[in-house]
């Protein structure tokens, strides 16, 4: 998209033109989504975060400094929204996995080529706390001090989360070469899900009976 | 070695993940939910205005209530006094003349403790205390209350009768006062005890006469006072007395249970919740009551994703959100009695509630073609809404006996802010049933 075209779209969005908003949204959709996808646990969460981010873009458009690249501004908003989202939902996330520190003997990564979908799926499998730190450190290039301030955690927690994230990812990368043997895991998940649903339903029924 | 391998891992992901824009196809449904967000944003301004309206409404109600408070207060004070004074002037002129000097002579504060002593203690203690000439200071506030009531029309009120007598006692107590007359004090105290004891009983007529007798006994020519008090005067004294008592703040406790309909936005799809609570009421005047309390409420409701503004884990595929919230509700209400006849009383009230969300459970349902299972979320003690809910209620009370009455209270709770994790517009309306226990006056009318 040309610079003039972009300025025209921004001007249209400032006038709350829904058509221009959609054009801008569409133009930056892929870029914004690529950021949100790696911070989120799945595609739906990512879309939620991205829309919250775009809402900030649309409502704060008059604050955008036109001397700087627009895409960088959007990217920063998406990242901050992702971090905020993670922070506000901290109470809902898995904070820790005790087996995360388990040591595996293979330090070397396989040479096989992993595509984008595989990699993003691996990142998304990380617990929220690990994923956020890994993104901020490994992808965005922040220091542990900066991450600690951003997330309101200690640098020690940041380092430990990064370590655990790497361990888990390495594990996944190494195992990705093998034949997937996930049927047992799936069965486990199903059992846990059925258990949770039945407990919730019994609680609901109890409440209704009350 | 390990460091190197970790960096390699970071690099693998950095390279593999970045530049992925082209992998991601635009989805129309994401824009649809984006539009919803944008629409909601413009509605938010209207929400702010709504809060302003509600706030203005509450302010107006409070002003009205305060105004009524002062208005009724003045009426109660002035009317009986005037009539009393008039009757005094025509009939009991000499009695008034006789009493007044005594009273003014007795006003010094040093005499108060003695009087309060006789008010606050049991008959036995009173007589022994006074016989020994000891002066304790307990119950000083009660006495101060009596002293602070307006002067007009007072000689005849019970309190002032007491005051006169008590101050007589006071005169007897200090060592520098010449005639310490125990004979005089003893029967006097007995009489006080009598009047105090009778005050809450139906046969209040005695009080007046006793007061008069006491005054008579202690002012110098006793006969002139008693003789000139007519039956009519006594009645008026009673009127003043009851007015004064009714003006005293009275406490009562209600235990209430309610069943209500909870719904978001409109009551079209409401679900039934339950509430249990206690309510402490302070009756400021005959008509005006301030009440607060605590209620434990279970509020189930279901909402569409459009009304629910927290993101997680909502998506464009969300069809319905089923919620069940346990709420601690702390209300602060003002109510005004609009009708009172016999045993029945009706009052209307308004105020604000603070919601403390103890536990919120949510279930998210998704469309079938999304292939997503329902998701459950529980949030504990995360959200509180201080003065976030407007209360409107009507209150019907039917007296069972002097202490207890049955209460029926239809009410409506309208949120001024978004409630809970989803910031929903959660309304409740229902009827509370309960028992009200009238504890009595804070200033010891007993």
């Amino acid at each position: 998209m040309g610079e003039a075209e972009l300025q025209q779209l921004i001007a249209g969005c400032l006038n709350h033109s829904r058509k221009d908003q959609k054009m801008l949204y569409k133009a930056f959709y892929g870029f914004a989504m690529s950021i949100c996808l790696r911070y989120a646990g799945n595609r739906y969460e990512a879309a939620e975060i991205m829309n919250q981010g775009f809402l900030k873009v649309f409502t704060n458009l008059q604050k955008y400094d036109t001397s700087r690249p627009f895409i960088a501004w959007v990217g920063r908003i998406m990242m901050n929204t992702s971090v905020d989202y993670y922070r506000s939902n901290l109470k809902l996330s898995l904070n820790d996995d005790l087996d995360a520190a388990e040591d595996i003997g293979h330090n070397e990564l396989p040479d096989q080529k992993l595509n984008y979908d595989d990699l993003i799926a691996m990142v998304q499998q990380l617990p929220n706390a690990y994923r956020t730190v890994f993104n901020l450190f490994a992808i965005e290039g922040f220091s542990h001090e900066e991450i600690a301030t951003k997330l309101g955690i200690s640098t020690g927690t940041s380092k430990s989360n990064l370590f655990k994230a790497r361990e888990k990812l390495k594990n996944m990368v190494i195992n990705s070469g093998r034949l997937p043997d996930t049927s047992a895991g799936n069965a486990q998940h199903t059992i846990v899900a059925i258990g949770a649903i039945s407990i919730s339903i019994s609680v609901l029924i109890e409440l209704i009976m009350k | 070695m390990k460091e190197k391998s970790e960096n390699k891992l970071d690099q693998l992901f950095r390279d593999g993940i970045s530049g992925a824009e082209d992998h991601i196809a635009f989805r129309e449904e994401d824009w649809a939910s984006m539009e919803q967000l944008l629409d909601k944003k413009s509605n938010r301004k209207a929400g702010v205005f709504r809060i302003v309206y509600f706030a203005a409404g509450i302010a107006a109600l409070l002003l009205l209530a305060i105004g009524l408070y002062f208005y009724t207060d003045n009426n109660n004070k002035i009317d009986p006094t005037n009539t009393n004074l008039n009757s005094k002037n025509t009939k009991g002129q000499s009695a008034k003349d006789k009493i007044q000097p005594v009273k003014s002579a007795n006003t010094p504060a040093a005499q108060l403790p003695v009087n309060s002593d006789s008010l606050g203690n049991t008959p036995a203690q009173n007589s022994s205390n006074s016989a020994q000439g000891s002066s304790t200071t307990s119950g000083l506030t009660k006495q101060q209350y009596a002293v602070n009531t307006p002067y007009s029309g007072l000689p005849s009120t019970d309190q002032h009768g007491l005051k006169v007598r008590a101050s007589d006692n006071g005169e007897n107590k200090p060592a520098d006062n010449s005639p310490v007359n125990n004979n005089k004090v003893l029967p006097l105290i007995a009489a006080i005890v009598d009047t105090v004891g009778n005050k809450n009983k139906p046969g209040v007529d005695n009080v007046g006469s006793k007061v008069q007798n006491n005054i008579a006994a202690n002012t110098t020519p006793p006969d002139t006072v008693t003789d000139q008090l007519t039956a009519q005067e006594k009645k008026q004294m009673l009127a003043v007395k009851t007015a004064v008592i009714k003006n005293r703040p009275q406490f009562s406790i209600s235990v209430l249970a309610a069943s209500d309909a909870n719904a978001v936005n409109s009551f079209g799809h409401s679900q039934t919740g339950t509430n249990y609570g206690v309510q402490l009421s302070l009756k400021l005047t005959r008509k005006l009551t301030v009440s607060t309390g605590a209620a434990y409420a279970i509020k189930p409701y279901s909402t569409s994703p459009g009304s629910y503004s927290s993101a997680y884990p909502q998506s464009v595929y969300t069809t319905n959100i089923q919620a069940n919230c346990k709420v601690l509700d702390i209300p602060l209400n003002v109510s005004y009695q609009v009708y009172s006849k016999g045993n029945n009383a009706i009052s209307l009230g308004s105020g604000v509630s603070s919601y403390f969300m103890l536990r919120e459970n949510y279930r998210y349902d998704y469309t079938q073609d999304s292939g997503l299972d329902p998701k459950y979320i529980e949030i504990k003690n995360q959200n509180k809404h201080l003065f976030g809910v407007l209360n409107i209620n009507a209150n019907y009370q039917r007296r069972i006996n002097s202490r207890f009455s049955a209460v029926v209270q239809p009410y409506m709770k309208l949120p001024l802010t978004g409630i809970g994790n989803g910031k929903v517009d959660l309304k409740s309306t229902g009827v509370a049933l309960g028992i009200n226990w009238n504890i009595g006056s804070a200033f010891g009318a007993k």
Side-chain angles (χ1 to χ4, degrees), chain B residues 413-436:
Chain B
K413 288 171 178 291
L414 303 170
L416 304 172
T417 61
I419 299 297
N421 191 48
K423 309 264 172 290
V424 292
D425 183 30
L426 175 61
K427 300 178 176 94
S428 306
T429 187
V431 179
L433 302 173
I435 295 286
N436 180 55

Side-chain angles (χ1 to χ4, degrees), chain B residues 106-119:
Chain B
N106 290 325
T107 30
Q111 292 159 359
L112 300 180
V114 182
N115 188 13
S116 59
D117 188 21
S118 54
L119 260 173

Side-chain angles (χ1 to χ4, degrees), chain A residues 95-98 100-101 126 130 159-170:
Chain A
N95 280 330
D96 211 348
D97 265 353
L98 283 177
L126 292 173
Y130 303 168
K159 282 177 186 169
S160 134
N161 280 358
L162 177 70
F163 173 76
K164 289 171 186 170
R166 280 171 171 169
E167 285 290 324
K168 275 184 173 283
L169 287 174
K170 189 159 52 177

Side-chain angles (χ1 to χ4, degrees), chain A residues 26-187:
Chain A
K26 230 173 163 174
F28 288 91
Y29 180 91
F31 169 73
M33 195 55 149
S34 72
I35 296 172
C36 297
L37 268 175
R38 62 172 191 256
Y39 280 96
N42 56 54
R43 166 114 204 177
Y44 309 110
E45 263 183 61
E48 263 321 304
I49 297 170
M50 182 189 64
N51 280 352
Q52 294 290 339
F54 268 114
L55 190 66
K56 285 181 194 169
V57 168
F58 288 135
T59 49
N60 295 301
L61 207 52
Q62 73 282 357
K63 292 182 195 159
Y64 160 61
D65 177 4
T66 44
S67 63
R68 292 175 166 194
F70 185 71
I71 195 162
W73 186 68
V74 172
R76 208 167 57 246
I77 286 178
M78 292 301 159
M79 188 196 77
N80 287 334
T81 311
S82 302
V83 170
D84 285 349
Y85 184 85
Y86 157 70
R87 281 175 61 170
S88 67
N89 288 289
L90 186 62
K91 61 204 173 202
L92 306 172
S93 69
L94 295 161
N95 280 330
D96 211 348
D97 265 353
L98 283 177
D99 58 2
E102 78 178 289
D103 198 24
I104 42 162
H106 316 276
N107 277 334
E108 291 305 316
L109 294 168
D111 286 333
Q112 74 189 100
K113 198 81 183 141
L114 290 164
N115 64 25
Y116 171 79
D117 290 337
D118 295 333
L119 289 172
I120 202 78
M122 287 175 191
V123 172
Q124 287 181 346
Q125 278 176 50
L126 292 173
N128 283 342
Y130 303 168
R131 187 172 60 240
T132 309
V133 172
F134 179 79
N135 267 310
L136 290 172
F137 187 91
I139 315 284
E140 319 277 0
F142 286 107
S143 71
H144 282 300
E145 285 73 23
E146 288 169 316
I147 294 169
T149 327
K150 255 185 193 302
L151 298 184
I153 57 176
S154 70
T155 50
T157 309
S158 173
K159 282 177 186 169
S160 134
N161 280 358
L162 177 70
F163 173 76
K164 289 171 186 170
R166 280 171 171 169
E167 285 290 324
K168 275 184 173 283
L169 287 174
K170 189 159 52 177
N171 227 345
M172 287 184 230
V173 170
I174 289 163
N175 286 333
S176 67
R178 301 178 186 164
L179 275 175
D181 184 23
T182 51
S183 53
N186 275 347

